[in-house]
Every structure is written in structure tokens, then in C-alpha cells.
Amino acid sequence: MERAKPTICGLDADQVTQFAREAVANAVVSTARAGIPLTGLVDGRVQTIQASDPHIAKFLQQQSAGLGVPSIQIERDPDTDF
């Protein structure tokens, strides 16, 4: 009898990992496009960098080359002002 692979909401570990990677990439892209400084691991060290930093520019260029991160538009909700 073959053992069933564990799943999370019907997704296997590889699918969950891919969704997590895409979510992080989307968050970085939208934060950088908004001009907000980012804190993360850069060259093996935790650093806060400006959205104009060459590391971010390179990341944005790679993502816009078609690696699967869609364009995100952030707008203020007139009802909640968020």
C-alpha cells in the first residue's frame, strides 16, 4: 500500500513552497514600486535598503522579464481611506 503525501488545503509541499515564493516576490515588487525601504537578507546580512538600491533594481528587472510576478496596483479605498 502506498502512503499518501501530506497536504495543506489539498496542496503538496512543493505547491505550498511555490505559492510562498510568489507571495514574497509580489510583496517585494509592490513595496519597491511604492518607494518603501525594504528590510531583508542582502549578501548574507539583514539590511534595510532603499527601493532605488541596485539589488532591488536587479530584482525588479528579473521579475519584469517574465518570471511570473504580476503587476500590482495599490489604490486608496475612498470608503475606508485605506
Side-chain angles (χ1 to χ4, degrees):
M1 178 179 264
E2 191 175 320
R3 284 183 76 173
K5 289 185 175 182
T7 61
I8 300 170
C9 296
L11 302 173
D12 65 29
D14 291 335
Q15 292 170 315
V16 171
T17 300
Q18 183 60 34
F19 281 130
R21 285 185 180 142
E22 290 174 12
V24 169
N26 280 324
V28 170
V29 168
S30 62
T31 301
R33 286 184 178 162
I36 299 169
L38 298 131
T39 300
L41 200 59
V42 180
D43 295 331
R45 296 179 307 180
V46 175
Q47 299 178 31
T48 298
I49 55 177
Q50 298 301 315
S52 59
D53 186 277
H55 290 96
I56 297 301
K58 181 179 176 184
F59 178 80
L60 291 174
Q61 184 179 31
Q62 291 170 344
Q63 296 305 310
S64 67
L67 298 179
V69 178
S71 177
I72 298 171
Q73 184 173 3
I74 300 172
E75 298 178 354
R76 185 172 301 278
D77 183 327
D79 297 330
T80 63
D81 207 29
F82 289 115

